[in-house]
mmCIF file of all heavy atoms in Angstrom:
data_model
loop_
_atom_site.group_PDB
_atom_site.id
_atom_site.type_symbol
_atom_site.label_atom_id
_atom_site.label_comp_id
_atom_site.label_asym_id
_atom_site.label_seq_id
_atom_site.Cartn_x
_atom_site.Cartn_y
_atom_site.Cartn_z
ATOM 1 N N ASN A 1 7.270 -3.280 7.935
ATOM 2 C CA ASN A 1 6.035 -2.493 8.046
ATOM 3 C C ASN A 1 4.960 -2.934 7.056
ATOM 4 O O ASN A 1 3.867 -2.354 7.030
ATOM 5 C CB ASN A 1 6.329 -1.004 7.856
ATOM 6 C CG ASN A 1 6.911 -0.693 6.485
ATOM 7 O OD1 ASN A 1 7.664 -1.492 5.937
ATOM 8 N ND2 ASN A 1 6.576 0.461 5.942
ATOM 9 N N VAL A 2 5.244 -3.934 6.248
ATOM 10 C CA VAL A 2 4.233 -4.493 5.348
ATOM 11 C C VAL A 2 3.491 -5.589 6.105
ATOM 12 O O VAL A 2 4.033 -6.659 6.372
ATOM 13 C CB VAL A 2 4.871 -5.046 4.058
ATOM 14 C CG1 VAL A 2 3.807 -5.678 3.171
ATOM 15 C CG2 VAL A 2 5.606 -3.937 3.312
ATOM 16 N N ASP A 3 2.247 -5.303 6.455
ATOM 17 C CA ASP A 3 1.476 -6.224 7.287
ATOM 18 C C ASP A 3 0.954 -7.422 6.512
ATOM 19 O O ASP A 3 0.905 -8.537 7.036
ATOM 20 C CB ASP A 3 0.283 -5.490 7.920
ATOM 21 C CG ASP A 3 0.714 -4.480 8.974
ATOM 22 O OD1 ASP A 3 1.861 -4.568 9.452
ATOM 23 O OD2 ASP A 3 -0.106 -3.605 9.318
ATOM 24 N N ALA A 4 0.507 -7.196 5.266
ATOM 25 C CA ALA A 4 -0.098 -8.284 4.499
ATOM 26 C C ALA A 4 -0.101 -7.938 3.019
ATOM 27 O O ALA A 4 -0.193 -6.766 2.636
ATOM 28 C CB ALA A 4 -1.531 -8.542 4.968
ATOM 29 N N LEU A 5 -0.005 -8.981 2.194
ATOM 30 C CA LEU A 5 -0.136 -8.866 0.741
ATOM 31 C C LEU A 5 -1.163 -9.911 0.325
ATOM 32 O O LEU A 5 -0.911 -11.114 0.419
ATOM 33 C CB LEU A 5 1.210 -9.099 0.053
ATOM 34 C CG LEU A 5 2.298 -8.057 0.344
ATOM 35 C CD1 LEU A 5 3.648 -8.518 -0.193
ATOM 36 C CD2 LEU A 5 1.921 -6.702 -0.251
ATOM 37 N N LEU A 6 -2.319 -9.441 -0.143
ATOM 38 C CA LEU A 6 -3.473 -10.314 -0.301
ATOM 39 C C LEU A 6 -4.015 -10.277 -1.719
ATOM 40 O O LEU A 6 -4.098 -9.211 -2.335
ATOM 41 C CB LEU A 6 -4.578 -9.885 0.663
ATOM 42 C CG LEU A 6 -4.182 -9.776 2.139
ATOM 43 C CD1 LEU A 6 -5.307 -9.110 2.925
ATOM 44 C CD2 LEU A 6 -3.871 -11.150 2.707
ATOM 45 N N GLU A 7 -4.426 -11.440 -2.216
ATOM 46 C CA GLU A 7 -5.138 -11.502 -3.495
ATOM 47 C C GLU A 7 -6.587 -11.124 -3.225
ATOM 48 O O GLU A 7 -7.304 -11.805 -2.482
ATOM 49 C CB GLU A 7 -5.059 -12.900 -4.092
ATOM 50 C CG GLU A 7 -5.728 -13.000 -5.461
ATOM 51 C CD GLU A 7 -5.633 -14.386 -6.068
ATOM 52 O OE1 GLU A 7 -4.977 -15.267 -5.477
ATOM 53 O OE2 GLU A 7 -6.240 -14.583 -7.145
ATOM 54 N N MET A 8 -7.027 -10.027 -3.830
ATOM 55 C CA MET A 8 -8.342 -9.512 -3.506
ATOM 56 C C MET A 8 -8.836 -8.622 -4.639
ATOM 57 O O MET A 8 -8.061 -7.941 -5.301
ATOM 58 C CB MET A 8 -8.280 -8.718 -2.192
ATOM 59 C CG MET A 8 -9.606 -8.516 -1.498
ATOM 60 S SD MET A 8 -9.416 -7.710 0.135
ATOM 61 C CE MET A 8 -8.643 -9.034 1.072
ATOM 62 N N ASP A 9 -10.144 -8.630 -4.851
ATOM 63 C CA ASP A 9 -10.798 -7.780 -5.831
ATOM 64 C C ASP A 9 -10.973 -6.388 -5.236
ATOM 65 O O ASP A 9 -11.646 -6.219 -4.213
ATOM 66 C CB ASP A 9 -12.158 -8.377 -6.197
ATOM 67 C CG ASP A 9 -12.864 -7.634 -7.321
ATOM 68 O OD1 ASP A 9 -12.488 -6.480 -7.620
ATOM 69 O OD2 ASP A 9 -13.803 -8.203 -7.900
ATOM 70 N N ALA A 10 -10.386 -5.385 -5.863
ATOM 71 C CA ALA A 10 -10.422 -4.022 -5.324
ATOM 72 C C ALA A 10 -11.831 -3.448 -5.300
ATOM 73 O O ALA A 10 -12.112 -2.524 -4.527
ATOM 74 C CB ALA A 10 -9.509 -3.112 -6.144
ATOM 75 N N GLU A 11 -12.716 -3.962 -6.137
ATOM 76 C CA GLU A 11 -14.090 -3.459 -6.167
ATOM 77 C C GLU A 11 -14.956 -4.062 -5.066
ATOM 78 O O GLU A 11 -16.052 -3.569 -4.793
ATOM 79 C CB GLU A 11 -14.733 -3.754 -7.529
ATOM 80 C CG GLU A 11 -14.090 -2.999 -8.671
ATOM 81 C CD GLU A 11 -14.807 -3.248 -9.983
ATOM 82 O OE1 GLU A 11 -15.829 -3.953 -9.982
ATOM 83 O OE2 GLU A 11 -14.338 -2.750 -11.016
ATOM 84 N N GLU A 12 -14.456 -5.117 -4.431
ATOM 85 C CA GLU A 12 -15.231 -5.799 -3.389
ATOM 86 C C GLU A 12 -14.260 -6.468 -2.420
ATOM 87 O O GLU A 12 -14.085 -7.676 -2.422
ATOM 88 C CB GLU A 12 -16.177 -6.836 -4.012
ATOM 89 C CG GLU A 12 -17.187 -7.396 -3.043
ATOM 90 C CD GLU A 12 -18.170 -8.336 -3.717
ATOM 91 O OE1 GLU A 12 -18.080 -8.527 -4.942
ATOM 92 O OE2 GLU A 12 -19.032 -8.885 -3.005
ATOM 93 N N THR A 13 -13.625 -5.639 -1.575
ATOM 94 C CA THR A 13 -12.644 -6.173 -0.648
ATOM 95 C C THR A 13 -13.338 -6.857 0.523
ATOM 96 O O THR A 13 -14.559 -6.768 0.698
ATOM 97 C CB THR A 13 -11.721 -5.059 -0.117
ATOM 98 O OG1 THR A 13 -12.464 -4.229 0.796
ATOM 99 C CG2 THR A 13 -11.163 -4.206 -1.251
ATOM 100 N N LYS A 14 -12.535 -7.506 1.341
ATOM 101 C CA LYS A 14 -13.070 -8.221 2.505
ATOM 102 C C LYS A 14 -12.834 -7.449 3.804
ATOM 103 O O LYS A 14 -13.070 -7.976 4.889
ATOM 104 C CB LYS A 14 -12.408 -9.604 2.606
ATOM 105 C CG LYS A 14 -12.514 -10.453 1.344
ATOM 106 C CD LYS A 14 -13.959 -10.692 0.939
ATOM 107 C CE LYS A 14 -14.035 -11.568 -0.317
ATOM 108 N NZ LYS A 14 -15.432 -11.741 -0.779
ATOM 109 N N PHE A 15 -12.396 -6.203 3.704
ATOM 110 C CA PHE A 15 -12.078 -5.431 4.899
ATOM 111 C C PHE A 15 -13.343 -4.843 5.529
ATOM 112 O O PHE A 15 -14.282 -4.465 4.814
ATOM 113 C CB PHE A 15 -11.107 -4.296 4.557
ATOM 114 C CG PHE A 15 -9.831 -4.751 3.918
ATOM 115 C CD1 PHE A 15 -9.534 -4.395 2.603
ATOM 116 C CD2 PHE A 15 -8.929 -5.532 4.616
ATOM 117 C CE1 PHE A 15 -8.361 -4.806 2.001
ATOM 118 C CE2 PHE A 15 -7.749 -5.958 4.020
ATOM 119 C CZ PHE A 15 -7.460 -5.595 2.712
ATOM 120 N N PRO A 16 -13.358 -4.720 6.858
ATOM 121 C CA PRO A 16 -14.474 -4.023 7.513
ATOM 122 C C PRO A 16 -14.476 -2.537 7.140
ATOM 123 O O PRO A 16 -13.476 -1.994 6.659
ATOM 124 C CB PRO A 16 -14.166 -4.197 9.015
ATOM 125 C CG PRO A 16 -13.191 -5.330 9.087
ATOM 126 C CD PRO A 16 -12.399 -5.291 7.823
ATOM 127 N N ASP A 17 -15.605 -1.886 7.376
ATOM 128 C CA ASP A 17 -15.702 -0.451 7.155
ATOM 129 C C ASP A 17 -14.629 0.283 7.965
ATOM 130 O O ASP A 17 -14.284 -0.132 9.084
ATOM 131 C CB ASP A 17 -17.070 0.070 7.591
ATOM 132 C CG ASP A 17 -18.206 -0.464 6.733
ATOM 133 O OD1 ASP A 17 -17.934 -1.174 5.749
ATOM 134 O OD2 ASP A 17 -19.372 -0.160 7.058
ATOM 135 N N ALA A 18 -14.133 1.389 7.395
ATOM 136 C CA ALA A 18 -13.218 2.301 8.110
ATOM 137 C C ALA A 18 -11.993 1.577 8.668
ATOM 138 O O ALA A 18 -11.585 1.806 9.803
ATOM 139 C CB ALA A 18 -13.971 3.030 9.215
ATOM 140 N N SER A 19 -11.401 0.706 7.860
ATOM 141 C CA SER A 19 -10.231 -0.065 8.305
ATOM 142 C C SER A 19 -8.918 0.686 8.162
ATOM 143 O O SER A 19 -7.924 0.339 8.819
ATOM 144 C CB SER A 19 -10.130 -1.368 7.501
ATOM 145 O OG SER A 19 -11.202 -2.233 7.768
ATOM 146 N N PHE A 20 -8.878 1.712 7.275
ATOM 147 C CA PHE A 20 -7.610 2.359 6.946
ATOM 148 C C PHE A 20 -7.704 3.871 7.072
ATOM 149 O O PHE A 20 -8.772 4.466 6.927
ATOM 150 C CB PHE A 20 -7.196 1.988 5.511
ATOM 151 C CG PHE A 20 -7.003 0.514 5.307
ATOM 152 C CD1 PHE A 20 -8.036 -0.281 4.804
ATOM 153 C CD2 PHE A 20 -5.802 -0.095 5.624
ATOM 154 C CE1 PHE A 20 -7.862 -1.643 4.621
ATOM 155 C CE2 PHE A 20 -5.619 -1.455 5.445
ATOM 156 C CZ PHE A 20 -6.647 -2.231 4.948
ATOM 157 N N ASP A 21 -6.546 4.470 7.325
ATOM 158 C CA ASP A 21 -6.448 5.933 7.342
ATOM 159 C C ASP A 21 -6.280 6.488 5.929
ATOM 160 O O ASP A 21 -6.729 7.599 5.636
ATOM 161 C CB ASP A 21 -5.242 6.366 8.189
ATOM 162 C CG ASP A 21 -5.354 5.889 9.624
ATOM 163 O OD1 ASP A 21 -6.342 6.262 10.288
ATOM 164 O OD2 ASP A 21 -4.459 5.149 10.082
ATOM 165 N N ILE A 22 -5.611 5.716 5.089
ATOM 166 C CA ILE A 22 -5.288 6.154 3.730
ATOM 167 C C ILE A 22 -5.426 4.961 2.789
ATOM 168 O O ILE A 22 -5.035 3.837 3.142
ATOM 169 C CB ILE A 22 -3.833 6.672 3.638
ATOM 170 C CG1 ILE A 22 -3.596 7.812 4.643
ATOM 171 C CG2 ILE A 22 -3.490 7.129 2.216
ATOM 172 C CD1 ILE A 22 -2.116 8.106 4.865
ATOM 173 N N ALA A 23 -5.970 5.195 1.614
ATOM 174 C CA ALA A 23 -5.940 4.197 0.539
ATOM 175 C C ALA A 23 -5.320 4.849 -0.683
ATOM 176 O O ALA A 23 -5.681 5.975 -1.045
ATOM 177 C CB ALA A 23 -7.332 3.690 0.214
ATOM 178 N N VAL A 24 -4.382 4.157 -1.299
ATOM 179 C CA VAL A 24 -3.745 4.662 -2.517
ATOM 180 C C VAL A 24 -3.849 3.587 -3.590
ATOM 181 O O VAL A 24 -3.458 2.442 -3.377
ATOM 182 C CB VAL A 24 -2.273 5.083 -2.262
ATOM 183 C CG1 VAL A 24 -1.458 3.965 -1.630
ATOM 184 C CG2 VAL A 24 -1.615 5.578 -3.550
ATOM 185 N N ALA A 25 -4.426 3.961 -4.715
ATOM 186 C CA ALA A 25 -4.617 3.029 -5.830
ATOM 187 C C ALA A 25 -3.660 3.418 -6.948
ATOM 188 O O ALA A 25 -3.800 4.492 -7.541
ATOM 189 C CB ALA A 25 -6.057 3.064 -6.312
ATOM 190 N N MET A 26 -2.710 2.565 -7.215
ATOM 191 C CA MET A 26 -1.668 2.867 -8.188
ATOM 192 C C MET A 26 -1.923 2.144 -9.499
ATOM 193 O O MET A 26 -1.876 0.912 -9.553
ATOM 194 C CB MET A 26 -0.296 2.497 -7.623
ATOM 195 C CG MET A 26 0.064 3.225 -6.350
ATOM 196 S SD MET A 26 1.833 3.269 -6.096
ATOM 197 C CE MET A 26 1.915 4.018 -4.471
ATOM 198 N N PHE A 27 -2.238 2.907 -10.539
ATOM 199 C CA PHE A 27 -2.407 2.371 -11.890
ATOM 200 C C PHE A 27 -3.491 1.292 -11.929
ATOM 201 O O PHE A 27 -3.360 0.291 -12.613
ATOM 202 C CB PHE A 27 -1.066 1.834 -12.413
ATOM 203 C CG PHE A 27 0.074 2.780 -12.202
ATOM 204 C CD1 PHE A 27 1.035 2.551 -11.229
ATOM 205 C CD2 PHE A 27 0.179 3.939 -12.959
ATOM 206 C CE1 PHE A 27 2.077 3.443 -11.026
ATOM 207 C CE2 PHE A 27 1.208 4.845 -12.757
ATOM 208 C CZ PHE A 27 2.163 4.600 -11.790
ATOM 209 N N VAL A 28 -4.554 1.517 -11.172
ATOM 210 C CA VAL A 28 -5.635 0.542 -11.048
ATOM 211 C C VAL A 28 -6.932 1.038 -11.676
ATOM 212 O O VAL A 28 -7.718 0.246 -12.193
ATOM 213 C CB VAL A 28 -5.875 0.192 -9.556
ATOM 214 C CG1 VAL A 28 -7.124 -0.647 -9.377
ATOM 215 C CG2 VAL A 28 -4.676 -0.520 -8.978
ATOM 216 N N ALA A 29 -7.167 2.349 -11.637
ATOM 217 C CA ALA A 29 -8.454 2.887 -12.084
ATOM 218 C C ALA A 29 -8.765 2.508 -13.527
ATOM 219 O O ALA A 29 -9.926 2.298 -13.886
ATOM 220 C CB ALA A 29 -8.468 4.408 -11.922
ATOM 221 N N SER A 30 -7.742 2.401 -14.362
ATOM 222 C CA SER A 30 -7.950 2.050 -15.767
ATOM 223 C C SER A 30 -7.895 0.546 -16.012
ATOM 224 O O SER A 30 -7.907 0.098 -17.155
ATOM 225 C CB SER A 30 -6.914 2.753 -16.645
ATOM 226 O OG SER A 30 -5.605 2.493 -16.177
ATOM 227 N N VAL A 31 -7.843 -0.227 -14.933
ATOM 228 C CA VAL A 31 -7.776 -1.687 -15.033
ATOM 229 C C VAL A 31 -9.091 -2.333 -14.600
ATOM 230 O O VAL A 31 -9.567 -3.275 -15.226
ATOM 231 C CB VAL A 31 -6.607 -2.234 -14.176
ATOM 232 C CG1 VAL A 31 -6.632 -3.760 -14.123
ATOM 233 C CG2 VAL A 31 -5.276 -1.739 -14.727
ATOM 234 N N VAL A 32 -9.673 -1.822 -13.511
ATOM 235 C CA VAL A 32 -10.871 -2.471 -12.960
ATOM 236 C C VAL A 32 -12.058 -2.316 -13.897
ATOM 237 O O VAL A 32 -12.159 -1.336 -14.641
ATOM 238 C CB VAL A 32 -11.215 -1.889 -11.573
ATOM 239 C CG1 VAL A 32 -10.123 -2.183 -10.575
ATOM 240 C CG2 VAL A 32 -11.496 -0.394 -11.658
ATOM 241 N N PRO A 33 -12.992 -3.284 -13.882
ATOM 242 C CA PRO A 33 -14.166 -3.196 -14.762
ATOM 243 C C PRO A 33 -15.089 -2.032 -14.436
ATOM 244 O O PRO A 33 -15.718 -1.464 -15.326
ATOM 245 C CB PRO A 33 -14.871 -4.542 -14.530
ATOM 246 C CG PRO A 33 -13.825 -5.455 -13.990
ATOM 247 C CD PRO A 33 -12.914 -4.593 -13.194
ATOM 248 N N HIS A 34 -15.190 -1.657 -13.147
ATOM 249 C CA HIS A 34 -16.156 -0.639 -12.725
ATOM 250 C C HIS A 34 -15.455 0.382 -11.821
ATOM 251 O O HIS A 34 -15.471 0.241 -10.590
ATOM 252 C CB HIS A 34 -17.325 -1.284 -11.977
ATOM 253 C CG HIS A 34 -17.940 -2.442 -12.709
ATOM 254 N ND1 HIS A 34 -17.658 -3.757 -12.391
ATOM 255 C CD2 HIS A 34 -18.807 -2.473 -13.751
ATOM 256 C CE1 HIS A 34 -18.330 -4.553 -13.206
ATOM 257 N NE2 HIS A 34 -19.029 -3.810 -14.039
ATOM 258 N N PRO A 35 -14.840 1.405 -12.387
ATOM 259 C CA PRO A 35 -14.057 2.361 -11.591
ATOM 260 C C PRO A 35 -14.849 3.057 -10.494
ATOM 261 O O PRO A 35 -14.324 3.288 -9.400
ATOM 262 C CB PRO A 35 -13.562 3.360 -12.648
ATOM 263 C CG PRO A 35 -13.578 2.606 -13.925
ATOM 264 C CD PRO A 35 -14.744 1.686 -13.831
ATOM 265 N N ARG A 36 -16.111 3.390 -10.767
ATOM 266 C CA ARG A 36 -16.908 4.051 -9.737
ATOM 267 C C ARG A 36 -17.144 3.107 -8.546
ATOM 268 O O ARG A 36 -17.263 3.543 -7.401
ATOM 269 C CB ARG A 36 -18.242 4.524 -10.314
ATOM 270 C CG ARG A 36 -18.121 5.655 -11.328
ATOM 271 C CD ARG A 36 -17.923 7.007 -10.664
ATOM 272 N NE ARG A 36 -17.800 8.083 -11.623
ATOM 273 C CZ ARG A 36 -18.815 8.788 -12.117
ATOM 274 N NH1 ARG A 36 -20.052 8.497 -11.751
ATOM 275 N NH2 ARG A 36 -18.605 9.762 -12.981
#
């Protein structure tokens, strides 16, 4: 059930708008340069 594992910047992904039903960010908010 794991469709893909991709190297990607969470602040600027390559996904189209409204691609997912749910997004879960695990231990990331305190890592990225710009949380907002």
Side-chain angles (χ1 to χ4, degrees):
N1 61 325
V2 177
D3 291 343
L5 295 170
L6 306 170
E7 183 179 356
M8 199 174 290
D9 186 343
E11 294 184 3
E12 191 176 358
T13 72
K14 306 302 181 184
F15 303 115
D17 294 356
S19 294
F20 300 95
D21 300 301
I22 303 165
V24 54
M26 300 202 186
F27 313 106
V28 171
S30 53
V31 173
V32 296
H34 310 101
R36 292 281 180 89

